[in-house]
Amino acid sequence: MASGTAGRARRRVRVVHPAAARTRSAEDWWWDRLAPSGSGYHLLQSDSMLLVLPGPGPARPRAQRRAARRAQRLRSPGSRAAEAKPRTAPAPTPLQEPDPGWGDRVPLEILLQIFGLLVAADGPIPFLGRAARVCRRWNEAASQPALWHTLTLSPPLAGRPAKSGAKAEKKLLSSLEWLMPNRFSQLQRLTLIHWKSQLHSVLKLVSESCPRLSFLKLSDCHGVTPDALIMLAKACPQLHSLDIQHSMVESTAVVSFLEEAGPRMQKLWLTYNSQTTAILGALLGSCCPQLQVLEVSTGLNHNITPLQLPVEALQKGCPQLQVLRLLNLMWLPKPSGRAMTPGPGFPSLEELCLASSTCNFVSNEVLGRLLHGSPHLRLLDLRGCARITPAGLHDLPCQELEQLHLGLYGMSDRLTLAKEGSPLLTQKWCHSLRELDLSGQGFSEKDLEQALAAFSGTPGGSHLALCSLNLRGTRVTPGTVSSVISSCPGLRYLNLESCRCLPRGLKRAYRGPEEVQWCLEQLLTSLPSPS
């Protein structure tokens, strides 16, 4: 019994420590450290953040309650009994207004920076519309025209019957009549999709309220008139990019627009049809001398009409061209002739894409006429160009090619392909190639082995640049593939589908470094051991 009483006494002695009453919690220490009394700042604590804000802050009832409970626990039982007296009711404290929340206290400029990051990542819709309904401060921030610089507008009932679609366009147009001057006054990039009946009215609103517009895209739109495009060209002096692919636009409207805005045009996307010839004729006549990007592709319905495009005239009409894409076209270049002098070339060209799903008429001679003055070429896409040979590519003046695509998809069985010459490609560009596509090519096993051995012969023994290699349908051997993987640690994509010389189970595409390394392990185990 005595021992039990002594134990309780010892426990009470341990509890009642004089220094314990003077200890302060870590929360109080940080509170005074970050916002000391009299500094003019206060702390505001939320679920997942701690804000330091200017001005006097609200009381901290939670911290005070914690301090009171802590002091009560530290008191001895004797002192509690001595203080057991009838307590007087505390004086009533004045009621405090409910805290409106930390969102109203964040400065407007900080909110604009946060909203700007979100808009840059995901676009203004639907985030800004939802943020505007949170509180008045957020509504003020979301209403700033500077955030509405990129926009895509499409009627909500696109694809429904014609009457419903026209009604939806009118309803959206009535909203745009207020939004254009009040929200979209600093709009820079606009995309219109599926507009059929009210496109002219929308373009009129844009020309009246968006003087900073620089990019306009019309996708699956009908009813584009010359007056609307000319109105845009005059009202938007910074408009330099126009994308009208997959839209029904009269050639006269585009030609009139180019005549008005041609000197400042930099990018143009077209869909090849019977009216494209007039537009290309305006380009050949030096209507857009500052044009940097030109893309012409077929629509959803493949057009079998050959495209007549003189190379030398295009080089004179668009001397600043940096990107030229003629996608899925049956391009029939006009012959150079014996007396024709070579064109000036494209000295600034960095990307040339002549990819096609069918065999085209591009030959080594045509490619030489296109690229004889392009030493800065970085991307060359010749998929479907079965008449191009490695010898013709080796004679090109570009020395720092990064992407080379020579794949033949679905047509190699009907063609007589070259079986030699692939080492000419890799020996010239092995130091700079990042992506190489030889899908469907008919090079022999020995030729491919010599070509891919160039990547292991670089200084240091490893090639860090190559990250994508497509050998689908080729005669590459297991030893050649394992050597390439070992020499290229940066390889992220490897396509070995339909490679007849590889063992079963490995003829597939590998994505990511883990899958590529797994392929290497399987190849090494399948290789016969040296005798």
Side-chain angles (χ1 to χ4, degrees):
M1 185 68 179
S3 61
T5 305
R8 285 194 296 270
R10 285 195 298 271
R11 286 195 292 269
R12 284 197 294 268
V13 170
R14 284 198 299 269
V15 171
V16 183
H17 195 282
R22 297 192 299 269
T23 57
R24 302 169 64 244
S25 66
E27 178 183 358
D28 294 335
W29 186 88
W30 276 109
W31 199 291
D32 295 337
R33 184 77 173 179
L34 295 177
S37 177
S39 63
Y41 292 88
H42 70 277
L43 292 181
L44 184 62
Q45 185 175 3
S46 180
D47 294 337
S48 59
M49 64 182 66
L50 191 65
L51 301 178
V52 182
L53 300 178
R60 295 176 290 166
R62 184 178 180 182
Q64 293 175 357
R65 290 196 301 268
R66 286 182 177 177
R69 288 195 301 266
R70 190 184 306 104
Q72 187 177 3
R73 288 195 303 267
L74 294 175
R75 293 173 185 168
S76 62
S79 61
R80 292 181 186 177
E83 295 178 0
K85 297 180 181 179
R87 300 180 180 179
T88 59
T93 57
L95 296 177
Q96 296 182 356
E97 297 183 358
D99 188 2
W102 66 269
D104 284 340
R105 302 185 182 187
V106 179
L108 182 61
E109 56 272 15
I110 301 298
L111 272 182
L112 288 177
Q113 293 183 12
I114 297 174
F115 286 5
L117 295 175
L118 294 172
V119 168
D122 302 326
I125 295 177
F127 167 72
L128 290 181
R130 296 172 179 173
R133 294 178 288 180
V134 173
C135 60
R136 293 182 179 179
R137 177 60 61 88
W138 284 39
N139 182 278
E140 182 183 2
S143 302
Q144 299 296 320
L147 296 175
W148 299 86
H149 52 75
T150 303
L151 192 63
T152 299
L153 296 176
S154 176
L157 298 179
R160 300 287 182 87
K163 293 183 179 180
S164 300
K167 185 177 180 180
E169 291 186 20
K170 291 182 179 180
K171 184 177 180 180
L172 182 55
L173 180 62
S174 62
S175 301
L176 292 176
E177 292 176 354
W178 183 87
L179 288 171
M180 283 291 179
N182 293 280
R183 293 291 185 271
F184 306 155
S185 58
Q186 299 186 26
L187 189 65
Q188 299 178 12
R189 299 177 63 88
L190 176 62
T191 301
L192 300 176
I193 305 176
H194 303 309
W195 286 85
K196 309 296 181 182
S197 60
Q198 301 296 326
L199 182 60
H200 180 81
S201 302
V202 174
L203 294 179
K204 183 179 179 181
L205 285 175
V206 173
S207 62
E208 294 174 353
S209 306
C210 307
R212 298 188 179 184
L213 189 69
S214 61
F215 172 85
L216 176 63
K217 179 178 180 179
L218 306 176
S219 180
D220 192 24
C221 294
H222 298 178
V224 184
T225 60
D227 296 338
L229 289 181
I230 293 177
M231 189 190 319
L232 275 176
K234 293 181 178 180
C236 304
Q238 301 181 17
L239 183 59
H240 57 70
S241 301
L242 179 64
D243 186 350
I244 56 174
Q245 286 186 341
H246 313 301
S247 291
M248 296 182 63
V249 185
E250 297 180 0
S251 60
T252 55
V254 182
V255 172
S256 301
F257 173 82
L258 294 179
E259 291 175 353
E260 180 66 30
R264 65 173 184 266
M265 287 299 295
Q266 298 179 7
K267 300 178 181 180
L268 183 62
W269 291 265
L270 304 172
T271 298
Y272 178 64
N273 51 40
S274 58
Q275 300 183 4
T276 311
T277 305
I279 303 174
L280 294 177
L283 296 178
L284 298 179
S286 300
C287 182
C288 303
Q290 302 297 325
L291 195 66
Q292 300 176 4
V293 177
L294 175 61
E295 179 176 324
V296 183
S297 64
T298 57
L300 299 178
N301 299 324
H302 185 66
N303 197 330
I304 61 175
T305 304
L307 171 63
Q308 295 281 346
L309 184 63
V311 175
E312 288 74 17
L314 183 62
Q315 293 172 346
K316 295 179 181 179
C318 304
Q320 303 297 326
L321 209 60
Q322 298 179 6
V323 177
L324 176 60
R325 303 189 187 107
L326 304 177
L327 304 176
N328 209 23
L329 297 177
M330 188 176 292
W331 181 33
L332 187 61
K334 291 185 178 181
S336 59
R338 296 181 179 179
M340 182 175 295
T341 57
F346 296 113
S348 303
L349 194 66
E350 298 181 0
E351 176 182 342
L352 176 63
C353 183
L354 304 177
S356 175
S357 59
T358 59
C359 187
N360 53 34
F361 299 96
V362 179
S363 60
N364 292 336
E365 185 264 339
V366 174
L367 192 64
R369 289 163 54 192
L370 271 172
L371 299 177
H372 71 88
S374 305
H376 305 295
L377 193 69
R378 295 291 183 269
L379 188 151
L380 183 58
D381 191 348
L382 301 175
R383 285 174 290 185
C385 301
R387 302 188 180 189
I388 300 295
T389 63
L393 293 172
H394 186 266
D395 294 336
L396 297 178
C398 50
Q399 300 295 330
E400 300 293 331
L401 195 65
E402 297 178 0
Q403 302 181 41
L404 178 60
H405 301 274
L406 301 176
L408 301 176
Y409 297 91
M411 63 182 68
S412 58
D413 297 337
R414 305 187 301 269
L415 301 173
T416 303
L417 304 176
K419 297 184 178 181
E420 298 179 353
S422 59
L424 296 176
L425 307 177
T426 55
Q427 291 173 2
K428 181 175 183 178
W429 293 307
C430 65
H431 64 284
S432 60
L433 272 179
R434 298 179 61 251
E435 298 182 13
L436 178 61
D437 181 6
L438 300 177
S439 175
Q441 292 288 345
F443 301 119
S444 63
E445 296 89 336
K446 189 65 175 179
D447 196 75
L448 285 173
E449 181 180 357
Q450 295 177 358
L452 298 179
F455 294 109
S456 59
T458 55
S462 63
H463 185 76
L464 300 177
L466 189 66
C467 59
S468 176
L469 180 61
N470 191 343
L471 300 173
R472 180 180 183 273
T474 61
R475 295 185 176 89
V476 65
T477 60
T480 303
V481 176
S482 59
S483 177
V484 170
I485 298 177
S486 302
S487 304
C488 303
L491 199 61
R492 296 294 182 270
Y493 175 79
L494 177 63
N495 194 338
L496 301 177
E497 297 177 351
S498 304
C499 293
R500 64 194 69 177
C501 298
L502 297 181
R504 294 182 179 179
L506 299 179
K507 304 178 184 180
R508 64 181 185 89
Y510 300 89
R511 297 174 176 85
E514 293 80 8
E515 293 189 5
V516 173
Q517 290 301 318
W518 180 87
C519 176
L520 175 60
E521 296 174 359
Q522 299 300 315
L523 288 172
L524 293 178
T525 56
S526 64
L527 290 175
S529 57
S531 56

